[in-house]
Amino acid sequence: MDTSSKDYPFYYNKATYRFSNDEADFVVTLSPTYGEVKIQVSRCGSNILLSLIDLKRVEKFEITSDKKDQSSVLLTVINEETQQMIEIDFKPYFKQIFKEHLTR
């Protein structure tokens, strides 16, 4: 997702994706025009929340793997003095890694 394209239309400006692996259910909501990404992870078959990521200033949303047995994304948030990178694996199992780097 490149938030520099705020003038381009996006179908209803919001997309929601629901999918599962063997252990977790995922709801991913994207609002690319505003740079918003929300990822909700719950235990498979229940409403027990495992993780919630709700970001308002995502600079880049990159799909790093999109295969039947492996899927992952990389989110990049750039602030004045830091760059935050969040690596999320959905398959084969859920994993998230949060890294922050100083930009100055």
Side-chain angles (χ1 to χ4, degrees), residues 22-93:
D22 291 335
E23 300 173 349
D25 297 322
F26 304 95
V27 179
V28 178
T29 304
L30 306 173
S31 296
T33 302
Y34 300 108
E36 296 179 357
V37 174
K38 183 176 181 179
I39 300 173
Q40 184 174 332
V41 184
S42 58
R43 185 166 292 143
C44 199
S46 73
N47 287 328
I48 298 173
L49 185 65
L50 299 175
S51 176
L52 175 64
I53 299 171
D54 193 358
L55 302 171
K56 303 298 181 194
R57 296 178 5 176
V58 174
E59 185 71 26
K60 190 174 186 183
F61 182 98
E62 179 181 351
I63 298 171
T64 53
S65 179
D66 186 19
K67 300 175 184 170
K68 181 179 179 181
D69 59 346
Q70 182 182 17
S71 64
S72 57
V73 296
L74 175 63
L75 308 175
T76 304
V77 177
I78 299 174
N79 295 309
E80 289 180 20
E81 296 181 4
T82 63
Q83 177 179 2
Q84 300 166 338
M85 301 181 82
I86 304 160
E87 301 171 32
I88 301 171
D89 292 347
F90 298 108
K91 292 179 184 177
Y93 56 88

Side-chain angles (χ1 to χ4, degrees), residues 3-10 33:
T3 58
S4 64
S5 60
K6 292 188 188 303
D7 295 333
Y8 295 106
F10 184 74
T33 302

